[in-house]
Amino acid sequence: MLKRCRARRLRAGLLALTAAGGLLLTGCSGGGSGDQSGLSDKASRGGGPAPAPAYSQGTGEQGDSEDESQDQDDRSRDLLAPPPDYLSTFALDVDTASYGYARRTLAEGNRPDPSTIRPEEFVNSFRQDYRRPDGNGFSVTVDGARTAGPGNRDWSLLRVGLATRPKEDEDERPPAALTFVIDVSGSMAEPGRLDLVRDALDVMTERLRDDDSVAIVTFSDEAETVLPMTRLDGNRDRVHDAVDELEPTDSTNLGAGVETGYATAVEGLREGATNRVVLLSDALANTGDTDADTILERIADSRREHGITLFGVGVGSDYGDALMERLADKGDGHTTYVSTEAEARTLFCEELPRHVDLTARDAKAQVSFDPETVEEFRLIGYDNRQVADEDFRDDRVDGGEVGPGHTVTALYAVRTRPGASGHLATATVRWLDPDTRTPHEESGSLEARSFHDDLWTSPRGLQVAAVAAYFADALRGGDDRWSTLPGRPSLGQLSERAEELARDREDKDLYGLAEAIETADRGAPMKGPEPE
């Protein structure tokens, strides 16, 4: 059930007194950002609460421990800000594996497990045409549209769009030092696993630059470095020979593979290059360490001291989604999933070489909703990427890593107050320069009058994001941790929307989305309540 972010009058009065007392005690410290409650004088004037200040100061209204425990449990399920909090904070995420794996599962005639459905990965599987920044940072776009249907009065979808500037020239990026950690366990013998990896790596080797370097580590029962870090200039045949010798063998000691991969990356570390570990596996670990946190602890020094990021590539119809996703999230990286030769070639031959560089480290976003105009809100997805509001500007707290030319989208279901006008929300993104670790911020805001009257006549990019989010919402129906999104169409209607958008854009990825939705619609009925 959707929980409400309503500020009751009595509670608001008590908070106002608390805030006033806090201002008297703290004076003008914190650079003029002393408002914490989201119900400040600034909010009452229609300006809305500011992003979290650079220091932590409680609101003084915490409730008893039982209430706190319940609030935490509710936040983990619905990501709805508890009263009187009008802030929403999360780490950026450019993963797309959940959508890719769901498509394959549906194509094989099965329904995806709801626990593997992460809506933000569905949404971020589709590139948006946000305005790009002039420099090496982010642009921030905030827009939204009202949803249709009975029972959806005053509900809207709000979109926060972030974009980085693409590299104008392939030679503009620094050299890459890539350590490929390849699963050669027995389960990788299935068609569409190791054979797909071999083919893609061979093609990618020809696409990388002469000043790039490659190392290869394999793992089954044990891990082995079969090719130390090697400059490609004049050495491509050595890489091809190592790739051609990859053969499936025994069990899956993924922990040993990751540990050896990072050790190889450190040994071949190149100053001034982008050093990255690329893990290719079905992530069905069954030998050695199989817990993501334990594996990550063993490579913690390599990650922190040398800034080596992890890129996880999942393959196979049976796939350890949870393990791969946690390794990437906590390993300063991201994940994707490939199931066909065409997808693998696109990933390794076009996307990886183009996006091997980093634009931002530890990137976080915070959205500040105005309590004068917003009655309740819900962040769609990012369930395991939420960050405490007070940690937004704590650069020791882990965020997400984003490369050049990426877009990141977050959707909110927002219920506005009747007759709402004026400021609705301000979105701020904060990130660290990958080289100097200098923090930067950029913001964008939205007024109520800027909401589009109808979602399905709004800008095409917003419609695409909505279709992807609604599809994910339908697939995880039956899991009572989440309630149905307001205004969700039927699968048949979503398929028609996706088909129309695909024709309009002549976009093969959107045709794939339409096909996946149609496949789901032909299958077993969705569990859970019918959409309104």
Side-chain angles (χ1 to χ4, degrees):
M1 157 186 348
L2 283 175
K3 297 187 319 182
R4 312 237 187 263
C5 297
R6 292 174 174 165
R8 304 183 189 278
R9 292 181 180 176
L10 176 58
R11 187 167 184 147
L14 291 173
L15 284 164
L17 289 172
T18 304
L23 287 172
L24 289 173
L25 290 171
T26 58
C28 297
S29 62
S33 300
D35 174 41
Q36 287 290 308
S37 69
L39 296 172
S40 65
D41 288 340
K42 182 178 180 182
S44 68
R45 291 194 302 267
Y55 59 92
S56 175
Q57 177 187 349
T59 63
E61 180 86 358
Q62 297 296 327
D64 58 37
S65 59
E66 181 176 344
D67 288 340
E68 290 174 359
S69 176
Q70 182 63 46
D71 280 347
Q72 180 62 38
D73 182 61
D74 289 338
R75 276 196 299 272
S76 68
R77 288 192 315 220
D78 281 276
L79 290 181
L80 286 165
D85 184 6
Y86 283 83
L87 293 174
S88 171
T89 309
F90 58 95
L92 299 197
D93 190 353
V94 295
D95 291 358
T96 59
S98 177
Y99 173 66
Y101 186 45
R103 281 188 62 197
R104 172 160 186 164
T105 303
L106 288 166
E108 293 178 341
N110 300 311
R111 186 74 74 192
D113 185 328
S115 68
T116 68
I117 302 300
R118 294 181 290 278
E120 73 277 13
E121 298 187 21
F122 279 57
V123 172
N124 284 321
S125 292
F126 303 94
R127 190 61 54 87
Q128 297 281 350
D129 56 356
Y130 302 132
R131 176 185 60 83
R132 301 288 176 163
D134 295 330
N136 292 322
F138 288 90
S139 64
V140 181
T141 301
V142 189
D143 62 0
R146 304 195 183 281
T147 59
N152 293 321
R153 182 182 178 185
D154 298 324
W155 278 102
S156 302
L157 287 184
L158 183 145
R159 177 177 63 158
V160 176
L162 309 172
T164 57
R165 181 177 64 90
K167 296 291 186 184
E168 296 179 0
D169 190 327
E170 168 68 8
D171 294 332
E172 186 180 346
R173 71 166 173 85
L178 306 176
T179 301
F180 290 93
V181 180
I182 303 171
D183 186 347
V184 293
S185 63
S187 61
M188 292 291 286
E190 174 190 297
R193 298 194 187 194
L194 191 55
D195 57 336
L196 183 150
V197 169
R198 277 196 301 257
D199 177 75
L201 287 179
D202 270 333
V203 178
M204 187 207 66
T205 299
E206 297 301 320
R207 298 286 183 88
L208 289 172
R209 296 189 329 217
D210 286 348
D211 61 346
D212 292 329
S213 301
V214 168
I216 296 177
V217 171
T218 61
F219 67 93
S220 55
D221 286 11
E222 297 178 346
E224 176 187 6
T225 300
V226 299
L227 181 72
M229 194 64 71
T230 303
R231 286 279 288 264
L232 288 180
D233 186 16
N235 292 305
R236 283 182 168 80
D237 286 345
R238 292 183 61 193
V239 179
H240 288 306
D241 290 343
V243 170
D244 292 343
E245 292 174 2
L246 298 175
E247 293 292 340
T249 54
D250 300 309
S251 301
T252 310
N253 192 339
L254 189 146
V258 172
E259 184 175 14
T260 303
Y262 268 85
T264 301
V266 170
E267 185 176 340
L269 192 75
R270 290 181 58 187
E271 294 296 331
T274 300
N275 296 273
R276 180 169 294 189
V277 170
V278 183
L279 172 63
L280 303 102
S281 175
D282 57 19
L284 300 176
N286 54 21
T287 302
D289 285 330
T290 59
D291 175 70
D293 290 336
T294 303
I295 295 171
L296 290 167
E297 185 58 35
R298 290 166 62 178
I299 61 171
D301 291 343
S302 300
R303 292 192 298 113
R304 293 168 186 157
E305 182 178 351
H306 302 293
I308 301 173
T309 57
L310 177 67
F311 179 32
V313 181
V315 295
S317 55
D318 292 323
Y319 169 56
D321 171 78
L323 177 58
M324 185 71 91
E325 196 248 350
R326 185 160 181 81
L327 281 172
D329 277 356
K330 299 299 182 182
D332 298 330
H334 62 282
T335 63
T336 191
Y337 178 89
V338 294
S339 60
T340 68
E341 182 178 319
E343 289 176 352
R345 286 193 174 218
T346 298
L347 173 68
F348 288 107
C349 305
E350 298 178 20
E351 296 181 7
L352 183 58
R354 190 168 66 241
H355 300 309
V356 71
D357 197 11
L358 279 181
T359 295
R361 285 189 183 273
D362 290 326
K364 312 183 193 88
Q366 184 169 85
V367 182
S368 170
F369 291 93
D370 192 324
E372 293 294 310
T373 53
V374 173
E375 187 167 351
E376 53 184 303
F377 61 90
R378 171 184 173 184
L379 174 60
I380 301 172
Y382 294 90
D383 300 49
N384 58 1
R385 303 293 283 166
Q386 56 185 312
V387 173
D389 295 335
E390 62 270 19
D391 289 339
F392 177 58
R393 291 193 175 95
D394 186 342
D395 297 326
R396 298 167 299 178
V397 175
D398 189 43
E401 277 59 47
V402 182
H406 277 286
T407 62
V408 182
T409 300
L411 287 180
Y412 287 85
V414 176
R415 186 173 188 176
T416 55
R417 298 188 183 278
S421 64
H423 177 261
L424 284 176
T426 295
T428 303
V429 59
R430 181 180 176 88
W431 71 97
L432 302 182
D433 181 279
D435 298 320
T436 66
R437 302 300 176 106
T438 303
H440 303 275
E441 291 187 8
E442 191 69 39
S443 296
S445 61
L446 181 68
E447 299 288 311
R449 66 175 181 273
S450 299
F451 259 144
H452 297 278
D453 289 335
D454 184 351
L455 174 62
W456 304 117
T457 59
S458 68
R460 289 288 192 259
L462 178 54
Q463 293 186 52
V464 169
V467 170
Y470 280 137
F471 181 35
D473 189 62
L475 288 178
R476 65 179 185 180
D479 190 326
D480 59 8
R481 289 178 295 172
W482 299 284
S483 54
T484 302
L485 288 176
R488 192 185 86 197
S490 67
L491 283 174
Q493 292 170 324
L494 279 179
S495 179
E496 291 175 2
R497 296 286 185 192
E499 186 80 23
E500 179 183 342
L501 289 165
R503 286 196 303 267
D504 181 66
R505 289 189 164 196
E506 297 183 353
D507 188 325
K508 63 180 180 62
D509 292 333
L510 290 177
Y511 278 118
L513 174 61
E515 181 182 9
I517 297 173
E518 185 179 354
T519 301
D521 192 29
R522 290 197 307 263
M526 292 292 178
K527 298 178 181 179
E530 289 295 317
E532 295 178 346

